[in-house]
Amino acid sequence: MDFFGEGTQWAIIIPIIILIVLSFVMRRRRAEKTDPEIVGSLFMDVNENLRLMERFSVRGRPKKFKTDSWNRNSEKIGFLPQSLQENLSQVFRLAEEFNQSIDAAKKQRANIYLTGVDAHKLEAPLTKSKEGLEEWIRSNMPLDTGAGRRGCMGG
């Protein structure tokens, strides 16, 4: 059997496989390095969790709360006010608990496991976290109004 002989499709298949592998490697989320990147990432997860909490339903297929940013950055938030650190810790601990309940329900293929889950318990801590992160962003990140900048068309 001649795998690399004339007439084979390997010249096309191998580059496609390489491109697929590279796309997975390049898509992998890089860790946040600066304080604003960390806060921005946490803010996006808190915002998404607020949306998920509003749509949380025992009847439908509930989506898991976002905790990736917290898992990556929980050790790097020492620059935030202590009260905000504690609130974020509480929020993401509750989110993890809800995610475990969702996993258990999916594993058992029965949403009955979610009847005792009150996702709205997250509403107040999520809102407080969002406000705290917004306040940090306002006080620590300069607003770039774009004054003095010109577009490529002179506008």
Side-chain angles (χ1 to χ4, degrees):
M1 204 178 241
D2 187 16
F3 286 107
F4 296 103
E6 292 180 8
T8 63
Q9 301 297 325
W10 289 104
I12 296 172
I13 294 173
I14 290 175
I16 290 173
I17 292 171
I18 291 171
L19 285 173
I20 291 171
V21 169
L22 284 175
S23 71
F24 280 114
V25 170
M26 299 302 284
R27 190 183 315 163
R28 203 173 95 202
R29 177 93 177 169
R30 67 176 179 86
E32 295 81 7
K33 293 180 181 171
T34 65
D35 295 351
E37 287 176 346
I38 292 169
V39 170
S41 180
L42 289 170
F43 182 78
M44 286 176 26
D45 276 4
V46 166
N47 244 1
E48 180 63 22
N49 287 343
L50 271 169
R51 273 190 240 112
L52 289 172
M53 186 267 318
E54 290 169 359
R55 289 187 257 134
F56 189 83
S57 170
V58 176
R59 293 184 197 116
R61 295 185 75 194
K63 290 188 176 182
K64 292 171 71 173
F65 291 97
K66 305 289 182 192
T67 59
D68 297 335
S69 174
W70 178 253
N71 293 336
R72 283 191 311 273
N73 299 306
S74 62
E75 300 296 319
K76 304 177 199 171
I77 61 168
F79 61 91
L80 294 172
Q82 185 65 31
S83 61
L84 181 56
Q85 290 179 38
E86 291 168 1
N87 198 43
L88 286 168
S89 178
Q90 176 192 9
V91 163
F92 286 106
R93 183 180 39 76
L94 285 171
E96 280 293 334
E97 289 173 9
F98 287 133
N99 287 347
Q100 289 173 358
S101 298
I102 292 169
D103 285 341
K106 286 181 180 179
K107 185 176 180 180
Q108 298 298 324
R109 297 183 182 176
N111 283 350
I112 193 80
Y113 291 96
L114 297 176
T115 55
V117 173
D118 182 18
H120 291 283
K121 231 173 33 170
L122 269 173
E123 186 172 12
L126 276 170
T127 304
K128 193 174 177 182
S129 293
K130 180 180 177 183
E131 291 168 356
L133 291 169
E134 284 175 340
E135 183 180 323
W136 188 92
I137 290 169
R138 276 194 301 273
S139 63
N140 293 293
M141 294 177 64
L143 291 176
D144 186 12
T145 60
R149 289 187 175 190
R150 302 185 105 188
C152 62
M153 302 302 280

